Amino acid sequence: MVCPETSSDEPLTPAGRLFLQPETDVVIHCIIRGKNPADMDAIKSAIKSSLMVQHPRFCSLLVRDKNGFEHWRKTPIDIDQHVIVVNNRLDKSGNFIDETQGSTTTEEDDEAAVNQYVADLSVSSPLSTDKPLWELHVLPAHKCAVFRIHHSLGDGISLMSMLMANCRRTDDAEALPKMVPDKKTVIKGEKGRDWFWLVGVLWWFLKIVVFTLLFSVEFVLRSLLVSDEKTAITGGDGVELWPRKLATAKFLLDDMKLVKRAVPDTTINDVLLGMVSSGLSRYLDHRTPNALHEGLRITGVAMVNIRPQPGLQDLSKLMKSNTKARWGNKFGVILIPVYYHKGGNDPLEYLKRAKATVDKKKHSLEAYFSYKIGDLVMSLLGPKYACMLNYKLLCNTTFTLSNVAGPLEEISLAGNPLSSIKVNTSSLPQAITMHMLSYAGKVEMQILVAKDIIPDPEFLAKCFEDALLEMKEAVLRTNKA
């Protein structure tokens, strides 16, 4: 929509402009499943009174001035334009079922049907710019709803924080969801600071400098020249337009914590990367047995929140323009290599290698560098070149991976207790993207694939599930010994 600029218009951030380019036009999908049937009146009432429609991003049109620069322009909200009701039941292929013929479906069938519905949305249904860039698709027959929110409105942390601010705990209708507790920083006193302490600080600083230079150079090379060796899961230029399938890998948070405790100073992200490394090795062994050399590098892209506070944020702080924990797209990108290894290895070796990789990344400023370089290219050269570099980076890597820690306990939305919350994004030029979110002790990872390259994402999901179970069994054997 091209309109003359007005004084109340707000320009988009550089990251927001990037996500509006045709090659990197990204929509975030959040699938929420209720325990009770959907009550449309309650849903619309909850939206009208929610913090979401009070936020400027969710009640603004995207407009362009005569020079082609994008702006946000406040507009009245018509809830009926944003809420889309799909009354028919869907089958596992995403087609409507003729319920007059009689049919029975299981919970697994329901999940597969909703996944395929979202997979189809991921590649063929951009959001209309005639209204603010969000929608809610309600599927009453599946007790499910799908939030579709354009990435230019904010990153996953901003949008999940917004969703949580509108939810309440099931055991206390007035209480906000309980999130992962903040880690308290212990500040040590001056006592004991000697030459050894000084050497430790200098060594720590040297590692930050070396790893930042090393990973920053690698990031630039990946954005321009270097690409992964071609395998059975490699995507590339134009793959974002190919049909998609979506599968869900399911884990228990307690299992991940058990594995985490087996290696000192390990995090859930280390366990996730170990699972991905093992699972991809299993899958490639199945697809192309004996075709790949040991130690083959498979590079992923991970989004890192660079706000001072990790995890989901206090919405009131996000909405303040003068705070560092501000609303919007406040994330950097890091490259995460995993390596192909044939079966038969100690399952915990995948975790140890993953931890070594992540530890090096923690001692670098790669995420901040990628954020600043993207901002600089957008400001100096414009969205065309920023988009070209971002798109090239995705074409030169194999997968995208993200992880968000969700509520610790069950929550409700619009009075309906939620049984699951899952997230994914619309398609990218990679053939595989993985987005993990924890909720009330359960962890679910959405695996979106280009189905002409990876025709069996359900098997890939099982590879990841089996990888965690093997690590868990290895830990239990060690504990018994």
Side-chain angles (χ1 to χ4, degrees):
M1 183 184 298
V2 180
C3 301
E5 184 179 351
T6 68
S7 58
S8 62
D9 288 354
E10 183 181 349
L12 268 72
T13 62
R17 296 185 70 197
L18 174 66
F19 285 121
L20 288 167
Q21 303 308 302
E23 296 85 354
T24 51
D25 189 352
V26 179
V27 177
I28 297 173
H29 295 137
C30 179
I31 307 171
I32 54 175
R33 184 181 178 88
K35 293 185 176 181
N36 302 323
D39 182 337
M40 292 309 305
D41 290 335
I43 290 172
K44 290 184 179 181
S45 176
I47 293 174
K48 289 176 182 177
S49 61
S50 70
L51 292 171
M52 183 176 75
V53 295
Q54 299 173 32
H55 193 285
R57 291 289 180 272
F58 288 83
C59 55
S60 295
L61 287 173
L62 173 71
V63 297
R64 290 180 172 85
D65 62 23
K66 61 182 179 180
N67 297 316
F69 288 97
E70 299 89 348
H71 296 263
W72 297 117
R73 178 171 299 174
K74 292 289 289 291
T75 186
I77 290 286
D78 180 357
I79 299 298
D80 291 328
Q81 280 192 321
H82 293 269
V83 178
I84 298 167
V85 183
V86 182
N87 285 310
N88 299 76
R89 181 174 289 278
L90 305 170
D91 63 16
K92 290 190 286 186
S93 300
N95 301 316
F96 293 135
I97 294 176
D98 183 0
E99 297 191 75
T100 61
Q101 302 298 317
S103 63
T104 58
T105 58
T106 64
E107 187 173 325
E108 290 74 18
D109 292 336
D110 267 0
E111 181 176 72
V114 173
N115 275 346
Q116 190 54 49
Y117 179 79
V118 175
D120 292 339
L121 289 177
S122 297
V123 75
S124 61
S125 300
L127 291 168
S128 170
T129 56
D130 292 336
K131 59 187 179 184
L133 298 177
W134 63 273
E135 290 177 346
L136 177 64
H137 292 227
V138 183
L139 291 76
H142 299 276
K143 299 181 182 179
C144 177
V146 182
F147 277 104
R148 304 191 69 218
I149 303 170
H150 201 279
H151 216 317
S152 61
L153 271 63
D155 57 19
I157 293 294
S158 294
L159 299 174
M160 282 300 297
S161 298
M162 171 70 78
L163 176 62
M164 292 303 103
N166 291 287
C167 293
R168 294 296 181 267
R169 287 165 53 181
T170 54
D171 60 349
D172 185 347
E174 300 301 319
L176 288 169
K178 184 188 293 186
M179 309 308 298
V180 176
D182 295 337
K183 292 182 180 179
K184 295 183 178 179
T185 302
V186 178
I187 301 176
K188 297 180 179 179
E190 298 291 327
K191 186 178 179 180
R193 292 189 174 185
D194 51 18
W195 285 108
F196 291 103
W197 175 85
L198 181 59
V199 169
V201 170
L202 291 175
W203 177 242
W204 171 81
F205 179 76
L206 180 62
K207 285 197 292 185
I208 287 180
V209 172
V210 171
F211 285 133
T212 298
L213 287 174
L214 181 67
F215 294 140
S216 297
V217 169
E218 182 191 18
F219 184 88
V220 172
L221 290 175
R222 282 277 166 179
S223 300
L224 297 173
L225 300 169
V226 181
S227 63
D228 277 353
E229 187 175 323
K230 189 173 179 60
T231 67
I233 59 174
T234 302
D237 189 4
V239 170
E240 71 275 10
L241 302 176
W242 293 19
R244 253 48 186 184
K245 290 184 75 173
L246 182 62
T248 305
K250 299 182 180 183
F251 317 96
L252 291 177
L253 187 57
D254 283 345
D255 288 350
M256 299 184 76
K257 288 179 178 179
L258 175 68
V259 172
K260 177 175 80 76
R261 289 192 292 269
V263 178
D265 301 320
T266 296
T267 67
I268 291 295
N269 282 333
D270 298 332
V271 177
L272 170 60
L273 191 57
M275 288 159 41
V276 168
S277 177
S278 175
L280 290 179
S281 295
R282 287 164 176 268
Y283 184 77
L284 288 169
D285 256 349
H286 167 73
R287 286 284 301 276
T288 53
N290 303 316
L292 303 178
H293 61 83
E294 189 77 3
L296 172 72
R297 172 171 167 151
I298 305 166
T299 309
V301 173
M303 313 303 167
V304 178
N305 173 34
I306 58 174
R307 297 176 178 86
Q309 178 185 342
L312 299 187
Q313 309 287 304
D314 183 334
L315 189 63
S316 62
K317 293 180 181 179
L318 282 179
M319 293 176 69
K320 292 178 181 177
S321 59
N322 61 346
T323 178
K324 291 183 179 179
R326 62 180 174 82
W327 180 274
N329 287 288
K330 191 72 172 176
F331 66 87
V333 172
I334 62 172
L335 300 177
I336 45 172
V338 299
Y339 298 91
Y340 166 79
H341 292 281
K342 289 185 69 67
N345 294 314
D346 176 8
L348 293 180
E349 284 300 314
Y350 290 103
L351 174 59
K352 294 172 184 177
R353 283 190 290 264
K355 174 177 165 46
T357 297
V358 174
D359 284 350
K360 292 175 184 176
K361 296 291 180 177
K362 288 177 182 176
H363 282 99
S364 84
L365 301 176
E366 180 185 4
Y368 296 91
F369 170 81
S370 65
Y371 178 80
K372 291 297 183 182
I373 200 69
D375 198 34
L376 184 64
V377 171
M378 179 68 78
S379 301
L380 296 180
L381 302 177
K384 177 181 177 182
Y385 289 97
C387 174
M388 181 181 70
L389 289 174
N390 188 72
Y391 187 80
K392 188 71 173 174
L393 176 69
L394 294 173
C395 288
N396 287 343
T397 52
T398 301
F399 64 89
T400 290
L401 181 66
S402 75
N403 176 31
V404 175
L408 297 175
E409 299 170 339
E410 285 195 355
I411 61 174
S412 62
L413 182 62
N416 192 346
L418 303 183
S419 59
S420 73
I421 308 173
K422 297 178 282 192
V423 294
N424 72 285
T425 66
S426 54
S427 54
L428 299 172
Q430 297 162 329
I432 174 172
T433 59
M434 295 166 282
H435 299 275
M436 190 172 88
L437 189 144
S438 61
Y439 170 56
K442 298 179 294 183
V443 181
E444 294 182 300
M445 183 164 70
Q446 291 292 85
I447 306 166
L448 184 70
V449 303
K451 67 179 184 180
D452 292 334
I453 298 174
I454 302 175
D456 49 356
E458 297 82 9
F459 178 75
L460 178 59
K462 189 174 186 305
C463 288
F464 294 134
E465 293 169 348
D466 290 346
L468 177 62
L469 292 177
E470 275 203 2
M471 290 182 196
K472 176 185 174 182
E473 289 169 2
V475 173
L476 294 175
R477 285 196 301 270
T478 303
N479 292 342
K480 287 181 179 179

